[in-house]
Amino acid sequence: MTYAVIAHYRCAPADEATVRASLLKMREHTRNEPANQAYEVHAQEGVAGGFVLYEVYTDRAGFDAHASTGHFAELIVGTVRPLLTERTVSFAELL
């Protein structure tokens, strides 16, 4: 069943360029994963340092495989998350 992830990230304005660059690199890697169907990165309008990610995978196992990749560990866990001041993530299955 199709599995979606919607993430809202916020960082300090001073860290915005680093977070943006890391998310765009992540998009390049993720779009090449076999279970990925979409990976979109948005700058949140009117919110300095605000980003919205929309990801779609073939199923939960596909997302789990994504979360265990080296590029996820490097770019999200190692670079982006330490710079975030806010983070919310929602998971959803297609009806």
Side-chain angles (χ1 to χ4, degrees):
M1 179 168 294
T2 302
Y3 194 74
V5 181
I6 301 99
H8 293 261
Y9 291 169
R10 187 154 186 199
C11 64
D15 295 323
E16 187 171 353
T18 300
V19 171
R20 178 187 303 264
S22 296
L23 293 175
L24 293 176
K25 285 181 191 176
M26 190 65 191
R27 179 178 68 187
E28 291 176 30
H29 289 290
T30 303
R31 286 182 172 175
N32 291 315
E33 295 174 15
N36 181 259
Q37 297 178 332
Y39 190 97
E40 303 297 340
V41 179
H42 304 270
Q44 192 172 357
E45 189 173 315
V47 180
F51 297 93
V52 178
L53 281 68
Y54 177 71
E55 309 170 40
V56 179
Y57 300 88
T58 53
D59 54 18
R60 174 64 195 239
F63 171 75
D64 291 342
H66 161 73
S68 68
T69 62
H71 50 269
F72 186 91
E74 175 189 349
L75 295 168
I76 300 300
V77 176
T79 304
V80 172
R81 284 186 187 167
L83 298 176
L84 298 180
T85 57
E86 293 177 36
R87 176 177 165 257
T88 60
V89 181
S90 298
F91 302 95
E93 290 185 347
L94 183 66
L95 297 178

